Amino acid sequence: MSLNNLGVYHLTPAQKQAIDDALTSIEANLTEVTQNLSSEERQKFGSIKETNKLLVDKCREFQQTQGSLASPDVDWTEFEADYQDRVFADTRLDRLATLTRMLSDFKIVHDYDNYQDALTDYDYSKYKSSTKTPGYTGKVDELKQFFPNTSNGSPIAAKNNTNETE
């Protein structure tokens, strides 16, 4: 893969719209059923952790296979609905994490390409400025501010700083 143009694939306007429409649909569906927990509530309720998930699974198994041993104080219909929603959410969170990674990688390669092209443009502008071509001296002076730790505003040292994430 060429290091000069990593982001060779681009989304079409139709693909962008389809992604936005799908996200809007997901947001609309989740807005109807989710609670907006405060930081304190998220801390209080938290995750039930793996060992406690095993407890939930075992109690569910007992209720399904030996119903006579299940507590009558538990609404087992609600328990099962909660369980199925939890499983659904858990698997979709995994999918969303994968999609987040894909979108992040997509963004990274395009950020990298833009940055490399900007460095090329800056080097070209410095060259043109040295030939006294009108306009380039001002452009170089404006762009130098982005290379404060270099002696003459050279992007050589700055090329090592491409790992920033925003």
Side-chain angles (χ1 to χ4, degrees):
M1 184 181 299
S2 170
L3 290 181
N4 291 334
N5 192 14
L6 296 176
V8 296
Y9 302 108
H10 301 278
L11 292 169
T12 66
Q15 288 171 315
K16 291 176 184 178
Q17 187 61 54
I19 291 168
D20 284 344
D21 291 348
L23 291 172
T24 298
S25 176
I26 291 168
E27 288 169 345
N29 281 286
L30 287 175
T31 298
E32 294 176 12
V33 297
T34 58
Q35 296 77 26
N36 186 17
L37 299 177
S38 67
S39 296
E40 295 79 26
E41 289 170 324
R42 291 180 67 78
Q43 183 69 30
K44 176 182 174 184
F45 302 134
S47 172
I48 65 168
K49 304 200 186 320
E50 288 306 312
T51 303
N52 294 337
K53 287 178 190 174
L54 294 173
L55 170 68
V56 168
D57 290 343
K58 188 52 77 173
C59 286
R60 179 176 180 261
E61 180 184 322
F62 271 112
Q63 190 279 327
Q64 291 180 334
T65 61
Q66 299 177 47
S68 63
L69 300 178
S71 170
D73 296 332
V74 173
D75 180 345
W76 290 102
T77 302
E78 178 63 20
F79 180 95
E80 186 63 22
D82 287 339
Y83 186 87
Q84 292 302 323
D85 282 348
R86 182 183 66 80
V87 169
F88 178 86
D90 196 40
T91 56
R92 287 355 177 249
L93 283 168
D94 289 343
R95 288 179 70 188
L96 288 171
T98 299
L99 292 173
T100 298
R101 175 65 186 254
M102 291 168 65
L103 198 54
S104 177
D105 289 349
F106 181 79
K107 178 185 177 296
I108 286 169
V109 297
H110 292 291
D111 280 348
Y112 182 85
D113 285 353
N114 282 157
Y115 182 68
Q116 296 307 310
D117 288 341
L119 292 176
T120 298
D121 183 61
Y122 180 56
D123 284 341
Y124 175 80
S125 298
K126 289 192 311 183
Y127 160 72
K128 292 299 278 185
S129 176
S130 72
T131 66
K132 306 298 185 212
T133 304
Y136 285 96
T137 301
K139 179 179 177 181
V140 169
D141 288 343
E142 282 286 319
L143 296 177
K144 271 185 191 178
Q145 69 179 315
F146 298 106
F147 306 98
N149 297 328
T150 59
S151 60
N152 63 350
S154 171
I156 302 300
K159 282 187 180 184
N160 296 327
N161 293 330
T162 60
N163 291 332
E164 284 185 27
T165 56
E166 289 184 10

